[in-house]
């Protein structure tokens, strides 16, 4: 019996302009799940980590694991 397969996500940060940072949470296949822009790198990192946490928190497989 094969174990459950969980999705794997990546978080990327990129400087777009002199004062704009872009963040993205995507699958390892490259499909963008969430994205955004912030004025500073720490803010972009915080928002990307927050988005990833919220994504994992609302995952459909969580209810199966707690049963």
């Amino acid at each position: 019996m094969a174990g459950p397969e969980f999705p794997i996500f990546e978080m990327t940060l990129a400087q777009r302009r002199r004062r704009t940072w872009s963040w993205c949470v995507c699958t390892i296949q490259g499909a963008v799940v969430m994205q955004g822009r912030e004025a500073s790198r720490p803010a972009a990192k915080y928002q990307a980590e927050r988005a990833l946490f919220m994504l994992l928190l609302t995952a459909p497989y969580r209810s199966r694991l707690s049963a």
Side-chain angles (χ1 to χ4, degrees):
M1 183 162 109
E5 296 206 17
F6 299 110
I8 299 173
F9 299 99
E10 295 178 336
M11 184 182 76
T12 60
L13 298 174
Q15 188 172 14
R16 293 295 175 202
R17 292 192 181 123
R18 184 173 271 181
R19 295 184 180 163
T20 304
W21 286 83
S22 175
W23 61 268
C24 177
V25 176
C26 57
T27 63
I28 58 171
Q29 290 82 18
V32 175
V33 179
M34 296 181 196
Q35 64 184 0
R37 289 189 182 140
E38 299 298 326
S40 67
R41 187 181 190 285
K45 185 175 183 292
Y46 173 80
Q47 290 297 331
E49 289 173 346
R50 183 174 184 262
L52 181 61
F53 177 76
M54 294 302 288
L55 179 68
L56 295 174
L57 188 65
T58 60
Y61 55 79
R62 283 195 76 227
S63 61
R64 288 185 288 173
L65 291 177
S66 61

